[in-house]
């Protein structure tokens, strides 16, 4: 979770100590490509294999796909074509040469997900883009290549992916969460009772006692 901010991923890493964590801010600042990230993961897998450790956990933030400059630029181009009314099935043929080359390089399942209509704020539907499966597939391809070349002598790579976006949102609510949701619902009721639409319920004085 977190879109462009990887605070949640970092806090989870500090609590659970995975073998590797990718932070969107670092990826964006270093201008890493999808190939750079794949190589980093493969190098980590290889280093662990040399110590007979054929297991490991990698933590990936939801917003990683928008933090990789080349993928972000591709998404922006796709969203621009959406805005121009280009049909989804025709978007790939309208991409610029570099974007088209990157698009063709990606696995079919991720292409389909990148073509999804953007959110209302023009950002990608991150929860629908399986970045973890994309990286797993690219890493497997690279590890197999290293096996053939003889530069990697470990076992075959096999990834198991989990997406915890909804579980992270599903923690037990605090008293504040309950009060906040109750007040929002109360305001919504009055909006509906007044026959209004196009309004959004808001709550102020959040630091004050509930009755205020």
């Amino acid at each position: 979770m977190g879109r462009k901010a990887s605070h949640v991923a970092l806090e989870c890493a500090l609590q659970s100590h995975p073998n590797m964590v990718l932070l969107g801010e670092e990826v964006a600042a270093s201008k890493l490509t999808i190939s750079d990230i794949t190589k980093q993961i493969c190098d980590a897998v290889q280093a662990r294999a040399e110590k007979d450790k054929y297991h490991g956990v990698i933590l990936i933030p939801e917003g990683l796909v928008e933090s990789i400059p080349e993928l972000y630029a591709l998404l922006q181009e796709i969203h621009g074509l959406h805005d121009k009314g280009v049909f989804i099935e025709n978007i790939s043929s309208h991409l610029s040469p570099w974007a088209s080359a990157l698009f063709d390089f990606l696995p079919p399942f991720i292409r389909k997900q990148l073509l999804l209509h953007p959110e209302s704020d023009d950002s990608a539907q991150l929860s629908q883009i399986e970045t973890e499966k994309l990286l797993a597939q690219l890493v497997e391809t690279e590890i197999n290549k290293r096996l053939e070349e003889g530069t990697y002598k470990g076992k075959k790579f096999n990834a198991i992916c989990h997406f915890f976006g909804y579980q992270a949102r599903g923690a037990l609510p605090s008293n504040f969460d309950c009060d906040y949701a109750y007040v929002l619902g109360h305001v919504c009721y009055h909006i509906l009772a007044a026959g209004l639409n196009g309004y959004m319920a808001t709550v102020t004085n959040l630091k004050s006692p509930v009755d205020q």
Side-chain angles (χ1 to χ4, degrees):
M1 284 179 63
R3 292 207 168 266
K4 291 184 181 179
S6 298
H7 302 153
V8 176
L10 178 58
E11 184 60 34
C12 288
L14 292 171
Q15 295 291 337
S16 61
H17 303 280
N19 301 102
M20 178 183 279
V21 59
L22 299 173
L23 299 179
E25 292 88 339
E26 286 190 348
V27 169
S30 303
K31 295 182 170 58
L32 297 181
T33 64
I34 192 74
S35 296
D36 293 332
I37 295 169
T38 301
K39 184 177 181 298
Q40 279 187 8
I41 297 173
C42 288
D43 290 345
V45 170
Q46 189 163 338
R48 289 178 63 75
E50 288 168 2
K51 296 178 181 179
D52 285 330
K53 293 180 178 179
Y54 294 103
H55 58 274
V57 176
I58 300 176
L59 194 58
I60 301 167
E62 185 182 58
L64 182 67
V65 70
E66 285 195 327
S67 299
I68 301 170
E70 58 183 346
L71 286 181
Y72 180 70
L74 173 60
L75 278 167
Q76 290 299 102
E77 197 165 315
I78 289 171
H79 293 174
L81 292 169
H82 275 303
D83 291 340
K84 291 178 181 176
V86 178
F87 291 113
I88 287 179
E89 56 269 22
N90 298 330
I91 283 180
S92 60
S93 61
H94 284 74
L95 293 171
S96 61
W98 76 266
S100 181
L102 175 58
F103 189 77
D104 290 341
F105 163 76
L106 297 170
F109 78 91
I110 208 79
R111 291 182 214 160
K112 187 176 179 181
Q113 293 165 4
L114 292 176
L115 290 175
L116 292 170
H117 278 277
E119 305 277 13
S120 57
D121 62 353
D122 203 35
S123 60
Q125 293 191 44
L126 295 179
S127 63
Q128 303 300 315
I129 299 175
E130 297 172 303
T131 313
E132 69 282 6
K133 289 186 179 178
L134 168 64
L135 288 175
Q137 187 166 325
L138 293 176
V139 168
E140 183 176 6
T141 300
E142 175 63 21
I143 288 290
N144 288 340
K145 181 183 170 189
R146 294 185 185 190
L147 274 169
E148 290 176 8
E149 294 171 347
T151 54
Y152 170 72
K153 297 179 172 63
K155 296 179 181 177
K156 188 177 184 295
F157 180 76
N158 180 35
I160 299 172
C161 297
H162 296 286
F163 173 67
F164 290 116
Y166 298 110
Q167 286 88 335
R169 295 181 181 93
L172 285 173
S174 65
N175 286 340
F176 173 83
D177 295 332
C178 295
D179 291 332
Y180 185 71
Y182 181 89
V183 173
L184 281 176
H186 185 78
V187 175
C188 287
Y189 164 78
H190 283 288
I191 290 173
L192 289 169
L196 302 172
N197 62 30
Y199 284 80
M200 182 171 71
T202 61
V203 184
T204 55
N205 302 328
L206 294 179
K207 291 183 180 179
S208 305
V210 177
D211 59 1
Q212 297 177 27

